[in-house]
Amino acid sequence: MALTDTREVDALVVDYGGVLTTSIRSSFRDWCEADGITQDSLRGLLGDWLGARAEAGNPIHLLETGELDTGEFERHLAARLETVDGRVIEPEGLIRRMFAGVRPDEAMLGLLRAARAAGLRTALLSNSWGGGYPMARLRELCEVIVISGEVGLRKPDAAIYEHSAELLGLPAGRCVFVDDAEPNVLGARAVGMHAVWHTDAESTIAAVAALAPGLAGGTA
Protein backbone atom coordinates (compact mmCIF):
# COMPACT_ATOMS: atom_id res chain seq x y z
CA MET A 1 0.00 0.00 0.00
CA ALA A 2 1.45 3.38 -0.95
CA LEU A 3 1.76 6.07 1.66
CA THR A 4 -0.46 9.13 1.37
CA ASP A 5 0.83 12.68 1.05
CA THR A 6 -0.06 13.32 4.68
CA ARG A 7 2.99 11.49 6.02
CA GLU A 8 5.23 13.48 8.32
CA VAL A 9 8.38 11.43 7.69
CA ASP A 10 10.30 10.04 4.72
CA ALA A 11 12.65 7.69 6.57
CA LEU A 12 12.56 5.10 9.35
CA VAL A 13 15.78 4.83 11.38
CA VAL A 14 16.05 2.01 13.92
CA ASP A 15 18.35 0.75 16.63
CA TYR A 16 19.34 -2.91 16.53
CA GLY A 17 19.60 -4.60 19.95
CA GLY A 18 16.31 -4.45 21.84
CA VAL A 19 14.43 -3.05 18.81
CA LEU A 20 15.01 -5.47 15.93
CA THR A 21 15.66 -8.15 18.56
CA THR A 22 14.05 -9.39 21.72
CA SER A 23 14.86 -7.67 25.00
CA ILE A 24 18.52 -7.18 25.87
CA ARG A 25 17.57 -6.76 29.52
CA SER A 26 15.99 -10.22 29.54
CA SER A 27 19.10 -11.71 27.98
CA PHE A 28 21.30 -10.01 30.59
CA ARG A 29 19.05 -11.29 33.37
CA ASP A 30 19.26 -14.86 32.08
CA TRP A 31 23.02 -14.55 31.69
CA CYS A 32 23.43 -13.34 35.28
CA GLU A 33 21.45 -16.31 36.53
CA ALA A 34 23.34 -18.82 34.37
CA ASP A 35 26.81 -17.46 35.19
CA GLY A 36 26.11 -16.60 38.83
CA ILE A 37 26.65 -12.86 38.33
CA THR A 38 25.05 -10.62 40.95
CA GLN A 39 22.38 -8.31 39.52
CA ASP A 40 23.59 -5.50 41.79
CA SER A 41 27.10 -5.53 40.34
CA LEU A 42 25.73 -5.41 36.79
CA ARG A 43 23.30 -2.59 37.62
CA GLY A 44 26.07 -0.61 39.27
CA LEU A 45 28.38 -1.06 36.30
CA LEU A 46 25.72 -0.05 33.77
CA GLY A 47 24.81 2.97 35.88
CA ASP A 48 28.43 4.11 36.06
CA TRP A 49 29.15 3.53 32.37
CA LEU A 50 25.77 4.26 30.75
CA GLY A 51 23.81 6.28 33.31
CA ALA A 52 23.10 10.00 33.35
CA ARG A 53 26.29 10.70 35.30
CA ALA A 54 28.55 8.38 33.29
CA GLU A 55 31.98 9.86 32.70
CA ALA A 56 33.12 10.29 29.11
CA GLY A 57 35.80 7.83 28.08
CA ASN A 58 34.58 4.95 30.24
CA PRO A 59 34.97 1.41 28.83
CA ILE A 60 31.48 1.20 27.28
CA HIS A 61 31.89 4.57 25.56
CA LEU A 62 35.30 3.54 24.22
CA LEU A 63 33.99 0.16 23.07
CA GLU A 64 31.07 1.75 21.24
CA THR A 65 33.29 4.27 19.43
CA GLY A 66 35.76 1.56 18.41
CA GLU A 67 38.57 2.87 20.62
CA LEU A 68 38.63 -0.25 22.82
CA ASP A 69 38.66 -3.79 21.45
CA THR A 70 36.31 -6.43 22.77
CA GLY A 71 39.01 -8.40 24.57
CA GLU A 72 40.15 -5.40 26.60
CA PHE A 73 36.56 -4.41 27.29
CA GLU A 74 35.74 -7.89 28.58
CA ARG A 75 38.67 -7.64 30.98
CA HIS A 76 37.34 -4.31 32.32
CA LEU A 77 33.89 -5.89 32.59
CA ALA A 78 35.09 -8.97 34.46
CA ALA A 79 37.00 -6.80 36.91
CA ARG A 80 33.85 -4.87 37.83
CA LEU A 81 31.37 -7.75 38.07
CA GLU A 82 30.84 -9.94 41.11
CA THR A 83 29.62 -13.51 41.43
CA VAL A 84 27.23 -14.90 44.04
CA ASP A 85 29.89 -17.34 45.26
CA GLY A 86 32.90 -15.02 45.00
CA ARG A 87 34.62 -16.93 42.20
CA VAL A 88 36.72 -15.18 39.56
CA ILE A 89 34.94 -14.34 36.30
CA GLU A 90 36.42 -15.56 33.01
CA PRO A 91 36.64 -12.50 30.72
CA GLU A 92 36.85 -14.30 27.38
CA GLY A 93 33.47 -14.61 25.71
CA LEU A 94 31.61 -12.38 28.19
CA ILE A 95 29.89 -10.31 25.49
CA ARG A 96 28.78 -13.43 23.63
CA ARG A 97 27.33 -14.91 26.85
CA MET A 98 25.58 -11.65 27.76
CA PHE A 99 23.74 -11.49 24.42
CA ALA A 100 23.16 -15.24 24.02
CA GLY A 101 19.42 -14.93 24.74
CA VAL A 102 18.74 -12.27 22.10
CA ARG A 103 16.57 -13.34 19.16
CA PRO A 104 15.18 -11.50 16.10
CA ASP A 105 11.89 -9.66 16.58
CA GLU A 106 10.05 -10.63 13.41
CA ALA A 107 7.33 -8.02 13.90
CA MET A 108 9.88 -5.21 13.92
CA LEU A 109 11.73 -6.66 10.96
CA GLY A 110 8.34 -6.71 9.25
CA LEU A 111 7.94 -3.00 9.99
CA LEU A 112 11.17 -2.27 8.17
CA ARG A 113 10.07 -4.41 5.25
CA ALA A 114 6.71 -2.61 5.09
CA ALA A 115 8.40 0.77 5.31
CA ARG A 116 10.55 0.00 2.30
CA ALA A 117 7.59 -1.32 0.34
CA ALA A 118 5.66 1.84 1.18
CA GLY A 119 8.39 4.16 -0.11
CA LEU A 120 10.16 5.20 3.08
CA ARG A 121 13.93 5.16 3.21
CA THR A 122 15.32 2.90 5.94
CA ALA A 123 18.42 2.97 8.12
CA LEU A 124 20.04 1.15 11.01
CA LEU A 125 21.74 3.27 13.69
CA SER A 126 23.39 1.13 16.35
CA ASN A 127 25.89 1.46 19.18
CA SER A 128 28.09 -1.59 18.67
CA TRP A 129 29.50 -3.94 21.29
CA GLY A 130 31.87 -5.55 18.85
CA GLY A 131 29.77 -6.99 16.03
CA GLY A 132 27.42 -9.93 15.79
CA TYR A 133 25.04 -8.24 13.35
CA PRO A 134 23.22 -10.35 10.75
CA MET A 135 24.54 -8.09 8.02
CA ALA A 136 23.11 -9.95 5.02
CA ARG A 137 19.59 -9.63 6.39
CA LEU A 138 20.08 -6.04 7.52
CA ARG A 139 21.34 -4.97 4.11
CA GLU A 140 18.15 -6.33 2.57
CA LEU A 141 16.08 -4.14 4.90
CA CYS A 142 18.20 -1.01 5.38
CA GLU A 143 19.56 1.30 2.70
CA VAL A 144 21.90 2.94 5.20
CA ILE A 145 23.76 1.19 8.04
CA VAL A 146 25.56 3.26 10.67
CA ILE A 147 27.52 1.29 13.29
CA SER A 148 29.05 3.40 16.06
CA GLY A 149 32.42 1.64 16.13
CA GLU A 150 32.84 2.12 12.39
CA VAL A 151 32.21 5.88 12.42
CA GLY A 152 33.82 6.74 15.77
CA LEU A 153 30.60 8.27 17.10
CA ARG A 154 27.94 6.96 19.47
CA LYS A 155 24.37 7.71 20.49
CA PRO A 156 23.24 10.00 22.03
CA ASP A 157 25.84 12.37 20.54
CA ALA A 158 24.18 14.71 18.04
CA ALA A 159 26.78 14.04 15.36
CA ILE A 160 25.79 10.42 14.79
CA TYR A 161 22.13 11.29 14.16
CA GLU A 162 23.13 14.10 11.84
CA HIS A 163 25.49 11.75 10.00
CA SER A 164 22.69 9.22 9.54
CA ALA A 165 20.27 11.82 8.18
CA GLU A 166 22.95 13.11 5.81
CA LEU A 167 23.53 9.60 4.44
CA LEU A 168 19.78 9.31 3.87
CA GLY A 169 19.80 12.65 2.06
CA LEU A 170 17.08 14.03 4.32
CA PRO A 171 16.69 16.72 6.98
CA ALA A 172 16.49 15.28 10.49
CA GLY A 173 12.87 16.41 10.79
CA ARG A 174 11.83 14.01 8.01
CA CYS A 175 13.17 10.98 9.90
CA VAL A 176 11.59 8.92 12.67
CA PHE A 177 14.04 7.17 14.98
CA VAL A 178 13.23 4.13 17.16
CA ASP A 179 15.33 3.07 20.16
CA ASP A 180 14.76 1.17 23.40
CA ALA A 181 17.01 3.50 25.44
CA GLU A 182 15.47 6.80 26.53
CA PRO A 183 18.73 8.85 26.34
CA ASN A 184 19.10 7.84 22.69
CA VAL A 185 15.50 8.85 21.97
CA LEU A 186 16.08 12.22 23.61
CA GLY A 187 19.29 12.66 21.61
CA ALA A 188 17.39 12.10 18.36
CA ARG A 189 14.72 14.62 19.35
CA ALA A 190 17.41 17.17 20.19
CA VAL A 191 18.54 17.23 16.54
CA GLY A 192 14.97 17.49 15.27
CA MET A 193 14.09 13.87 14.54
CA HIS A 194 10.75 12.36 15.43
CA ALA A 195 11.60 9.64 17.94
CA VAL A 196 9.81 6.65 19.45
CA TRP A 197 10.86 5.03 22.73
CA HIS A 198 10.46 1.33 21.93
CA THR A 199 8.91 -0.95 24.55
CA ASP A 200 7.09 -3.44 22.32
CA ALA A 201 6.46 -4.00 18.63
CA GLU A 202 2.74 -3.26 18.71
CA SER A 203 3.03 0.22 20.21
CA THR A 204 6.07 1.12 18.10
CA ILE A 205 4.37 0.08 14.86
CA ALA A 206 1.33 2.18 15.81
CA ALA A 207 3.51 5.21 16.62
CA VAL A 208 5.42 4.97 13.34
CA ALA A 209 2.18 4.42 11.38
CA ALA A 210 0.76 7.60 12.92
CA LEU A 211 3.61 9.51 11.25
CA ALA A 212 3.29 7.60 7.98
CA PRO A 213 -0.40 6.91 7.30
CA GLY A 214 -0.99 3.73 5.32
CA LEU A 215 2.05 1.94 6.73
CA ALA A 216 0.12 -0.09 9.29
CA GLY A 217 -1.68 -1.97 6.56
CA GLY A 218 1.59 -3.31 5.22
CA THR A 219 2.99 -4.75 8.45
CA ALA A 220 0.66 -7.71 8.88
Side-chain angles (χ1 to χ4, degrees):
M1 180 182 295
L3 293 179
T4 71
D5 291 336
T6 62
R7 70 185 185 191
E8 298 180 49
V9 297
D10 294 310
L12 171 61
V13 184
V14 296
D15 177 39
Y16 179 69
V19 173
L20 297 184
T21 75
T22 54
S23 170
I24 290 175
R25 291 180 181 84
S26 294
S27 183
F28 283 7
R29 185 172 58 248
D30 293 345
W31 159 69
C32 283
E33 183 175 346
D35 278 19
I37 307 296
T38 67
Q39 295 279 351
D40 284 347
S41 69
L42 178 62
R43 277 193 294 267
L45 178 154
L46 293 176
D48 289 346
W49 292 353
L50 280 179
R53 294 185 295 276
E55 292 187 5
N58 70 63
I60 286 181
H61 288 196
L62 295 177
L63 175 71
E64 291 181 341
T65 55
E67 299 170 81
L68 190 67
D69 66 35
T70 55
E72 185 64 23
F73 174 74
E74 288 176 331
R75 288 188 283 276
H76 282 287
L77 192 62
R80 278 291 309 267
L81 294 170
E82 298 174 358
T83 55
V84 294
D85 57 6
R87 63 183 168 77
V88 174
I89 299 168
E90 170 57 47
E92 187 174 354
L94 263 179
I95 293 175
R96 175 183 52 77
R97 298 199 300 275
M98 292 173 76
F99 289 90
V102 170
R103 299 289 181 269
D105 186 325
E106 295 298 338
M108 289 300 297
L109 292 168
L111 174 63
L112 271 179
R113 194 173 297 111
R116 290 203 70 167
L120 268 73
R121 304 206 64 192
T122 55
L124 179 80
L125 173 52
S126 175
N127 283 353
S128 172
W129 279 35
Y133 298 93
M135 294 305 296
R137 191 173 196 186
L138 291 173
R139 288 192 182 101
E140 291 177 357
L141 297 171
C142 299
E143 300 169 63
V144 167
I145 295 178
V146 179
I147 306 295
S148 65
E150 296 177 0
V151 297
L153 302 166
R154 63 182 294 277
K155 299 173 292 186
D157 297 338
I160 198 167
Y161 303 102
E162 293 166 347
H163 176 65
S164 301
E166 183 178 335
L167 291 177
L168 286 165
L170 293 168
R174 297 301 297 179
C175 302
V176 56
F177 173 69
V178 179
D179 202 293
D180 63 324
E182 185 182 20
N184 297 341
V185 171
L186 297 177
R189 289 176 182 161
V191 302
M193 286 183 173
H194 301 267
V196 176
W197 186 4
H198 177 78
T199 56
D200 61 82
E202 183 178 5
S203 60
T204 292
I205 290 169
V208 173
L211 294 167
L215 179 61
T219 59

